[in-house]
Amino acid sequence: MYTGGKFLNVLAVDIGVGTQDVLFSLEETDENSPRMVLPSPTRQKSQEIEKTSGDLFIRGSTMGGGPVSSAIERRAQSSSVVMTPRAARTVRDDLSEVEEKGIEIDNEGPEGASEIVLGDLDFPALELLLDETSASCDCLAVAVQDHGDAPQGVSDRRFRVSRMAEVIESGGELSEFALLETSEDFHRFSAVLKEGRQLSENVVVTDTKISAMTGAHSGSPSLIVDAGNGHVSGALFSEDTRITAFFEHHTASLDSDHLTDILKSFLSGELTNDRIFEEGGHGAYIDKILEPEDFLATGPRRAMVIGTNLPFRSPPNLENAMMAGPYGLVRLTEELFEDMEAN
């Protein structure tokens, strides 16, 4: 149900490499909203693959890669692995690159093969939560990371940052980072939108880094860094919750000292897209520099951020920093539908 610019019951699911963080934001007070931190679907599926033996037939939807992609590639070295086209984009958007890894693309698997069904949404867990609360899911809001289907010859890292840059350059409004309809450029986002309609007719999908930083924003001009298990992202947020600059690197490539250097360059406006890309990260885009009044760190690896020589602290508006993503999803969803209502 949508009333007065707000959904009453928003099921927010932030899906990372290590965990999936869930908040069912109910019409009642915040304290009564159920929340869960569970292993991520990509870790669950990778374990499922490791527990099976022999040939594999993998179908389902495009989902987050990481551990599950690695498990699939390892199995392809010793057994026959057949994937449907949609499922195969979990490994790479370019299916010819999937085939180069020894994986066959087909809609039917070898006889006697174990079957694995891919998908980002953990339906058993989410349906159990809905059953236990006996509440309707008025809107499902999901955050995942999707690099995008880059054009031939373009790095998916550069493509991802270029799409972020487009939104920031056009004003950086949070609602512009969200999708309500499928997109040919983003297969994972589109898969979540399609699957999510099994739980709610209203589905919103956005980027997991945007949702986490949004959930941490305290309302003043801020530098917010989300340090996840796979990626570290930072953004400058204006007082009216617009993003004016963004960078993203791989967590494994950073320590507190290296991150300090990057952040100082970022705040001075000197950090370049090429520098981050050449270090193996995704990139950076700076539209407007502002002087932050607050320095906020979130994510499971936030200790590295707090360990820099900048005055970072955990978000004061969150009793649990792992809930930054879900809270950001609820906030972004409300803003999205308020904008739609106004227009």
Side-chain angles (χ1 to χ4, degrees):
M1 181 177 179
Y2 178 65
T3 60
K6 182 177 180 180
F7 281 101
L8 298 183
N9 298 328
V10 179
L11 179 57
V13 187
D14 180 29
I15 302 172
V17 175
T19 65
Q20 53 178 322
D21 309 322
V22 182
L23 170 72
F24 196 13
S25 181
L26 299 173
E27 178 184 2
E28 305 168 19
T29 59
D30 231 17
E31 290 78 8
N32 292 332
S33 294
R35 60 209 71 193
M36 305 185 297
V37 177
L38 302 170
S40 67
T42 187
R43 289 199 182 280
Q44 292 181 28
K45 290 298 177 181
S46 68
Q47 291 168 4
E48 186 178 345
I49 290 170
E50 298 291 355
K51 290 177 182 177
T52 66
S53 58
D55 298 338
L56 288 180
F57 175 53
I58 303 176
R59 61 178 181 86
S61 301
T62 307
M63 69 175 294
V68 73
S69 293
S70 297
I72 291 168
E73 291 175 32
R74 285 193 298 271
R75 179 59 62 82
Q77 295 174 6
S78 59
S79 303
S80 174
V81 176
V82 179
M83 302 184 74
T84 63
R86 282 201 310 155
R89 289 193 172 93
T90 298
V91 179
R92 296 291 295 176
D93 278 304
D94 187 336
L95 296 184
S96 65
E97 295 183 19
V98 180
E99 292 177 316
E100 288 173 3
K101 298 177 182 294
I103 298 165
E104 184 181 346
I105 309 297
D106 202 335
N107 286 311
E108 295 185 6
E111 187 175 348
S114 298
E115 187 171 285
I116 303 290
V117 182
L118 300 186
D120 269 315
L121 294 178
D122 187 351
F123 283 105
L126 298 179
E127 288 170 346
L128 178 62
L129 178 61
L130 294 175
D131 289 343
E132 289 295 319
T133 56
S134 299
S136 62
C137 177
D138 300 320
C139 181
L140 173 67
V142 183
V144 296
Q145 187 182 81
D146 190 339
H147 286 67
D149 188 0
Q152 192 71 31
V154 177
S155 163
D156 62 0
R157 290 182 287 147
R158 286 200 183 277
F159 184 70
R160 171 174 165 76
V161 173
S162 73
R163 298 305 289 265
M164 292 286 190
E166 288 176 11
V167 179
I168 295 170
E169 190 174 21
S170 67
E173 292 187 33
L174 293 182
S175 59
E176 294 301 313
F177 288 98
L179 287 181
L180 292 167
E181 302 296 337
T182 58
S183 165
E184 290 298 321
D185 288 337
F186 294 95
H187 298 296
R188 187 181 181 191
F189 283 166
S190 297
V192 170
L193 282 166
K194 291 177 182 177
E195 287 188 346
R197 294 195 174 105
Q198 297 179 50
L199 291 177
S200 176
E201 63 180 17
N202 299 300
V203 184
V204 175
V205 64
T206 192
D207 185 81
T208 189
K209 292 301 185 183
I210 298 300
S211 65
M213 291 187 288
T214 297
H217 188 230
S218 60
S220 59
S222 304
L223 171 58
I224 304 177
V225 178
D226 178 69
N229 292 303
H231 302 89
V232 172
S233 303
L236 288 172
F237 277 72
S238 66
E239 188 173 0
D240 61 352
T241 324
R242 291 173 182 261
I243 295 177
T244 69
F246 173 87
F247 78 88
E248 189 165 75
H249 214 314
H250 287 112
T251 306
S253 301
L254 299 174
D255 57 25
S256 292
D257 290 340
H258 189 180
L259 183 57
T260 296
D261 183 59
I262 288 172
L263 290 170
K264 287 183 176 179
S265 295
F266 186 58
L267 289 171
S268 68
E270 298 173 354
L271 185 66
T272 65
N273 188 41
D274 284 344
R275 173 187 167 177
I276 298 295
F277 184 81
E278 288 166 7
E279 289 184 2
H282 289 178
Y285 177 76
I286 298 173
D287 183 58
K288 180 182 177 183
I289 289 299
L290 53 83
E291 185 173 346
E293 296 176 9
D294 212 349
F295 292 75
L296 301 169
T298 188
R301 302 291 297 277
R302 61 190 176 279
M304 175 172 61
V305 185
I306 294 173
T308 65
N309 63 7
L310 294 170
F312 279 99
R313 60 175 179 153
S314 293
N317 58 325
L318 297 172
E319 61 184 37
N320 181 350
M322 294 300 287
M323 285 293 112
Y327 275 109
L329 277 167
V330 173
R331 183 174 181 178
L332 187 149
T333 299
E334 291 178 357
E335 181 170 315
L336 172 65
F337 284 92
E338 283 171 3
D339 288 351
M340 290 174 59
E341 190 176 64
N343 296 327

Short mmCIF file of all heavy atoms in Angstrom, two decimals, residues 306-329:
data_model
loop_
_atom_site.label_atom_id
_atom_site.label_comp_id
_atom_site.label_asym_id
_atom_site.label_seq_id
_atom_site.Cartn_x
_atom_site.Cartn_y
_atom_site.Cartn_z
N ILE A 306 38.08 3.81 9.45
CA ILE A 306 38.25 4.51 10.72
C ILE A 306 39.73 4.60 11.09
O ILE A 306 40.16 5.51 11.81
CB ILE A 306 37.42 3.81 11.82
CG1 ILE A 306 35.92 3.96 11.50
CG2 ILE A 306 37.72 4.37 13.21
CD1 ILE A 306 35.00 3.18 12.39
N GLY A 307 40.55 3.68 10.54
CA GLY A 307 41.98 3.69 10.79
C GLY A 307 42.76 4.71 9.99
O GLY A 307 43.98 4.84 10.18
N THR A 308 42.10 5.43 9.07
CA THR A 308 42.79 6.50 8.35
C THR A 308 42.99 7.69 9.30
O THR A 308 42.45 7.72 10.40
CB THR A 308 41.97 6.96 7.13
OG1 THR A 308 40.74 7.57 7.58
CG2 THR A 308 41.64 5.79 6.21
N ASN A 309 43.76 8.68 8.83
CA ASN A 309 43.98 9.84 9.71
C ASN A 309 42.97 10.95 9.46
O ASN A 309 43.23 12.12 9.74
CB ASN A 309 45.42 10.36 9.59
CG ASN A 309 45.74 10.88 8.19
OD1 ASN A 309 44.86 10.97 7.33
ND2 ASN A 309 46.99 11.20 7.97
N LEU A 310 41.80 10.56 8.94
CA LEU A 310 40.68 11.48 8.80
C LEU A 310 39.65 11.15 9.88
O LEU A 310 39.59 10.00 10.35
CB LEU A 310 40.06 11.35 7.40
CG LEU A 310 40.98 11.80 6.25
CD1 LEU A 310 40.39 11.40 4.91
CD2 LEU A 310 41.20 13.31 6.30
N PRO A 311 38.82 12.12 10.29
CA PRO A 311 37.96 11.93 11.47
C PRO A 311 36.69 11.11 11.20
O PRO A 311 35.57 11.56 11.45
CB PRO A 311 37.62 13.36 11.87
CG PRO A 311 37.63 14.13 10.59
CD PRO A 311 38.76 13.52 9.79
N PHE A 312 36.87 9.88 10.73
CA PHE A 312 35.71 9.02 10.44
C PHE A 312 35.11 8.45 11.73
O PHE A 312 35.81 8.20 12.71
CB PHE A 312 36.12 7.87 9.53
CG PHE A 312 36.20 8.25 8.08
CD1 PHE A 312 37.42 8.54 7.50
CD2 PHE A 312 35.05 8.34 7.31
CE1 PHE A 312 37.50 8.90 6.15
CE2 PHE A 312 35.11 8.70 5.97
CZ PHE A 312 36.34 8.98 5.39
N ARG A 313 33.82 8.23 11.68
CA ARG A 313 33.11 7.56 12.77
C ARG A 313 32.00 6.71 12.16
O ARG A 313 31.66 6.85 10.97
CB ARG A 313 32.50 8.59 13.72
CG ARG A 313 31.49 9.54 13.04
CD ARG A 313 30.82 10.45 14.04
NE ARG A 313 29.87 11.37 13.40
CZ ARG A 313 28.83 11.89 14.01
NH1 ARG A 313 28.58 11.58 15.28
NH2 ARG A 313 28.01 12.72 13.38
N SER A 314 31.45 5.81 12.95
CA SER A 314 30.30 5.03 12.50
C SER A 314 29.07 5.93 12.44
O SER A 314 28.98 6.91 13.18
CB SER A 314 30.05 3.85 13.46
OG SER A 314 31.11 2.92 13.39
N PRO A 315 28.11 5.64 11.56
CA PRO A 315 26.94 6.50 11.41
C PRO A 315 26.15 6.60 12.72
O PRO A 315 25.75 5.59 13.29
CB PRO A 315 26.11 5.79 10.33
CG PRO A 315 27.10 4.96 9.58
CD PRO A 315 28.11 4.53 10.59
N PRO A 316 25.91 7.82 13.23
CA PRO A 316 25.20 7.98 14.49
C PRO A 316 23.73 7.61 14.40
O PRO A 316 23.08 7.36 15.42
CB PRO A 316 25.37 9.47 14.80
CG PRO A 316 25.56 10.11 13.46
CD PRO A 316 26.31 9.11 12.65
N ASN A 317 23.20 7.58 13.18
CA ASN A 317 21.78 7.27 13.00
C ASN A 317 21.50 5.77 12.91
O ASN A 317 20.36 5.36 12.71
CB ASN A 317 21.23 7.97 11.75
CG ASN A 317 21.99 7.58 10.49
OD1 ASN A 317 23.19 7.36 10.53
ND2 ASN A 317 21.30 7.49 9.38
N LEU A 318 22.56 4.95 13.04
CA LEU A 318 22.39 3.51 12.91
C LEU A 318 22.94 2.80 14.14
O LEU A 318 24.11 2.96 14.48
CB LEU A 318 23.13 2.98 11.67
CG LEU A 318 22.64 3.49 10.31
CD1 LEU A 318 23.60 3.03 9.22
CD2 LEU A 318 21.24 3.00 10.01
N GLU A 319 22.12 1.99 14.78
CA GLU A 319 22.62 1.20 15.91
C GLU A 319 23.45 0.02 15.41
O GLU A 319 24.26 -0.53 16.15
CB GLU A 319 21.46 0.71 16.76
CG GLU A 319 20.47 -0.20 16.04
CD GLU A 319 19.29 -0.58 16.90
OE1 GLU A 319 18.82 0.27 17.68
OE2 GLU A 319 18.84 -1.73 16.78
N ASN A 320 23.25 -0.37 14.15
CA ASN A 320 24.00 -1.46 13.55
C ASN A 320 24.42 -1.03 12.16
O ASN A 320 23.58 -0.84 11.28
CB ASN A 320 23.12 -2.72 13.47
CG ASN A 320 23.85 -3.91 12.88
OD1 ASN A 320 24.95 -3.78 12.34
ND2 ASN A 320 23.24 -5.08 12.96
N ALA A 321 25.72 -0.85 11.95
CA ALA A 321 26.23 -0.35 10.67
C ALA A 321 25.90 -1.30 9.51
O ALA A 321 25.87 -0.88 8.36
CB ALA A 321 27.73 -0.13 10.75
N MET A 322 25.66 -2.58 9.81
CA MET A 322 25.30 -3.54 8.76
C MET A 322 23.92 -3.25 8.19
O MET A 322 23.55 -3.78 7.15
CB MET A 322 25.36 -4.97 9.29
CG MET A 322 26.75 -5.44 9.66
SD MET A 322 27.92 -5.41 8.28
CE MET A 322 27.32 -6.80 7.33
N MET A 323 23.13 -2.42 8.86
CA MET A 323 21.80 -2.08 8.38
C MET A 323 21.80 -0.82 7.52
O MET A 323 20.74 -0.34 7.11
CB MET A 323 20.84 -1.90 9.55
CG MET A 323 20.41 -3.20 10.21
SD MET A 323 19.37 -4.22 9.11
CE MET A 323 20.49 -5.61 8.82
N ALA A 324 22.98 -0.27 7.23
CA ALA A 324 23.04 0.95 6.42
C ALA A 324 22.38 0.73 5.06
O ALA A 324 21.61 1.58 4.59
CB ALA A 324 24.49 1.39 6.25
N GLY A 325 22.69 -0.39 4.41
CA GLY A 325 22.11 -0.66 3.10
C GLY A 325 20.60 -0.74 3.10
O GLY A 325 19.93 -0.05 2.33
N PRO A 326 20.01 -1.58 3.97
CA PRO A 326 18.55 -1.63 4.03
C PRO A 326 17.89 -0.30 4.37
O PRO A 326 16.88 0.07 3.78
CB PRO A 326 18.29 -2.69 5.11
CG PRO A 326 19.48 -3.59 5.04
CD PRO A 326 20.63 -2.67 4.74
N TYR A 327 18.44 0.44 5.35
CA TYR A 327 17.86 1.74 5.68
C TYR A 327 17.96 2.70 4.49
O TYR A 327 17.04 3.49 4.22
CB TYR A 327 18.53 2.34 6.91
CG TYR A 327 17.94 1.85 8.21
CD1 TYR A 327 18.64 0.98 9.05
CD2 TYR A 327 16.66 2.25 8.60
CE1 TYR A 327 18.10 0.52 10.24
CE2 TYR A 327 16.11 1.79 9.79
CZ TYR A 327 16.83 0.93 10.61
OH TYR A 327 16.28 0.48 11.77
N GLY A 328 19.08 2.63 3.79
CA GLY A 328 19.23 3.46 2.59
C GLY A 328 18.23 3.10 1.52
O GLY A 328 17.70 3.96 0.82
N LEU A 329 17.94 1.81 1.38
CA LEU A 329 16.94 1.37 0.41
C LEU A 329 15.56 1.93 0.73
O LEU A 329 14.84 2.37 -0.17
CB LEU A 329 16.87 -0.17 0.40
CG LEU A 329 17.90 -0.89 -0.46
CD1 LEU A 329 17.90 -2.38 -0.12
CD2 LEU A 329 17.60 -0.69 -1.94
#
